[in-house]
Amino acid sequence: MKSAVRVQLSFMMFLEFFIWGAWFVTLGTFVLKNLQDTNANQVSVAFLTQSIGAVIAPFIVGIIADRFISAQVILGAIHLIGAALLWTCSGMTSFDSFYPVLLVYMILYMPTLALVNSISFRQMSDPSKDFSTIRVFGTIGWIIAGLLIGWLNWEKNNTLGLTFKMAAGASLLLGLFSFTLPKTPPLKKGTQISVKEILGLDAIRMLKNRSYLLFFIASIAICIPLAFYYNFTNPFLNEIGMTAAAGKQSLGQMSEFFFMLVMPLFFARLGVKKMLALGMLAWVLRYILFAYGNVDSNYWMLITGIVLHGICYDFFFVTGQIYTDKLAGEEFKSSAQGFVTLATYGVGMLIGFLISGPIVESYKTAGGHNWQGIWLIPAGIAAAVLVLFMLLFQDKTEKTA
């Protein structure tokens, strides 16, 4: 790959995830503090737009980008429209007007996650070697967005509307920049559209493998407590008095970056089952740490809970992607990954978003929320999933090897 192309793709990844990290981390706090007459239920509904976007995304990418219009052109158009939508969100004070704009934005944004990957892969002779060194700039973009929000004190000053303006500026820049990216024409132009292919349902036959079926069910189940983290960590940290909470949360992405680098060492020694189990265990520990942590004597618990993100995400989700790729075979690799994404970010997170809001709202107190009681619920769910997984799952492919 040419150096100029590498720089282009790296900058694309940086902006793609800077845009998302610029407003998504503090969305719950924005809904509760900047919009009128809101509660935890509205926070869940706002985050639910991610799952709706994840369900609809395959249709946009599978139908339009694969068959009609070049990926870099669609990417540019979406981000230009997205810039206008994000700027509109920044000045809203009513949830009823804010929600439909956010929903339209997320339906448009979620497909861009697949588009930036597609554009990158098409320029690489060996994606297994090249992709991680480019994708890591996305993590850096997310980290810098969080650090900027903390440094500028937008949470403390109750000016989180500026996060949407910052994201809008980055979206405008990426929209224009996208038209300079390497041409990525559709590969399936003129072919028949298959709904099964678009949703990854061709890979449903993998569920005949009992071990993979258990992994698949566990993936959906573990995403239910995961939704609590995305929804309410930032409101929780701000409510208990942590300064620059969004900046502190970026430690999770730093941890993710580190564990991504050392994962091959762990994978070779532990295997699939232990890696997945450690990922689940990290979720249990994280929520227990949040339940008993505070900004005084137990501040270390909050920081440790945030830093555990690297194990939570990499050991479960990245290991799961590798496991899926290993079992799928050449013919169904893409379909299988799409199928798992639909199940986790679509079905699993959707369930989590729906139940987390009412639960948090039911623990509301005169001075805020009973966060200890709240965090012990996802800890219990994750612990139950872990126990069942350890009892029932066997990696037959590993035994054969």
Side-chain angles (χ1 to χ4, degrees):
M1 186 192 307
K2 294 180 179 179
S3 298
V5 174
R6 181 178 292 276
V7 171
Q8 280 184 299
L9 298 179
S10 299
F11 188 55
M12 173 190 71
M13 285 292 184
F14 176 88
L15 290 175
E16 173 74 13
F17 287 90
F18 178 91
I19 292 164
W20 197 6
W23 63 271
F24 191 75
V25 173
T26 55
L27 175 61
T29 304
F30 174 84
V31 170
L32 292 172
K33 290 188 175 181
N34 290 63
L35 304 181
Q36 299 170 357
D37 302 321
T38 53
N39 54 44
N41 291 319
Q42 274 83 19
V43 173
S44 286
V45 172
F47 277 97
L48 190 62
T49 58
Q50 174 189 279
S51 293
I52 296 172
V55 171
I56 296 175
F59 289 96
I60 297 176
V61 176
I63 294 176
I64 300 176
D66 284 352
R67 288 171 173 81
F68 298 107
I69 304 174
S70 295
Q72 82 281 0
V73 175
I74 301 175
L75 183 70
I78 287 177
H79 279 297
L80 289 177
I81 297 170
L85 293 172
L86 288 167
W87 190 273
T88 302
C89 286
S90 69
M92 289 186 165
T93 57
S94 165
F95 184 81
D96 289 340
S97 57
F98 172 77
Y99 175 75
V101 178
L102 181 66
L103 177 60
V104 172
Y105 176 76
M106 285 305 278
I107 289 172
L108 290 173
Y109 177 82
M110 291 306 287
T112 66
L113 298 174
L115 288 172
V116 294
N117 288 345
S118 177
I119 292 168
S120 299
F121 286 138
R122 292 276 290 277
Q123 310 307 316
M124 298 173 185
S125 56
D126 188 354
S128 64
K129 292 182 178 179
D130 294 333
F131 182 70
S132 61
T133 60
I134 288 172
R135 172 59 181 82
V136 72
F137 282 91
T139 302
I140 293 171
W142 187 292
I143 290 169
I144 290 178
L147 291 175
L148 276 173
I149 294 168
W151 178 61
L152 295 169
N153 286 321
W154 286 346
E155 294 159 289
K156 183 179 179 180
N157 298 332
N158 198 27
T159 53
L160 286 176
L162 294 173
T163 62
F164 287 97
K165 289 185 177 180
M166 180 170 71
S171 186
L172 175 63
L173 177 58
L174 181 53
L176 296 173
F177 179 73
S178 295
F179 296 108
T180 71
L181 291 169
K183 293 182 179 179
T184 314
L187 290 174
K188 299 179 181 178
K189 197 169 186 178
T191 60
Q192 187 175 357
I193 296 172
S194 167
V195 175
K196 283 180 64 178
E197 176 195 350
I198 291 169
L199 291 178
L201 297 182
D202 286 333
I204 200 169
R205 66 191 67 186
M206 292 174 64
L207 299 183
K208 293 179 181 178
N209 180 321
R210 181 177 176 274
S211 296
Y212 191 77
L213 175 62
L214 289 169
F215 159 73
F216 185 81
I217 294 170
S219 296
I220 294 175
I222 204 68
C223 280
I224 296 173
L226 171 59
F228 282 80
Y229 178 78
Y230 283 137
N231 279 12
F232 294 107
T233 299
N234 191 257
F236 158 66
L237 295 176
N238 278 288
E239 189 173 295
I240 65 173
M242 179 181 280
T243 56
K248 302 292 196 313
Q249 283 182 259
S250 67
L251 291 170
Q253 276 63 48
M254 296 178 193
S255 167
E256 178 188 333
F257 174 71
F258 169 76
F259 280 105
M260 189 74 76
L261 295 177
V262 299
M263 261 197 71
L265 300 176
F266 283 98
F267 206 94
R269 288 163 175 76
L270 300 177
V272 171
K273 182 174 182 176
K274 291 179 181 177
M275 289 284 286
L276 294 171
L278 280 173
M280 294 183 195
L281 179 61
W283 284 111
V284 180
L285 294 176
R286 157 180 270 176
Y287 290 129
I288 291 174
L289 289 166
F290 280 0
Y292 294 99
N294 55 55
V295 293
D296 300 315
S297 58
N298 290 333
Y299 190 79
W300 66 271
M301 289 187 174
L302 301 177
I303 298 300
T304 304
I306 292 170
V307 172
L308 277 173
H309 179 77
I311 300 176
C312 292
Y313 184 83
D314 291 342
F315 278 45
F316 189 85
F317 287 98
V318 177
T319 299
Q321 290 165 1
I322 295 170
Y323 179 57
T324 298
D325 186 77
K326 182 171 69 172
L327 291 182
E330 291 299 324
E331 186 179 357
F332 298 109
K333 284 185 185 292
S334 297
S335 294
Q337 296 294 343
F339 188 44
V340 171
T341 301
L342 181 68
T344 52
Y345 285 93
V347 179
M349 295 281 282
L350 185 144
I351 297 170
F353 289 143
L354 287 175
I355 70 169
S356 59
I359 288 173
V360 172
E361 189 62 21
S362 69
Y363 279 83
K364 194 171 184 179
T365 64
H369 295 84
N370 174 10
W371 287 109
Q372 185 178 104
I374 290 168
W375 290 123
L376 289 177
I377 292 173
I381 297 172
V385 176
L386 171 61
V387 170
L388 291 172
F389 178 80
M390 289 299 294
L391 290 173
L392 300 174
F393 180 83
Q394 284 186 320
D395 182 14
K396 293 180 181 178
T397 58
E398 191 171 69
K399 283 190 173 183
T400 302

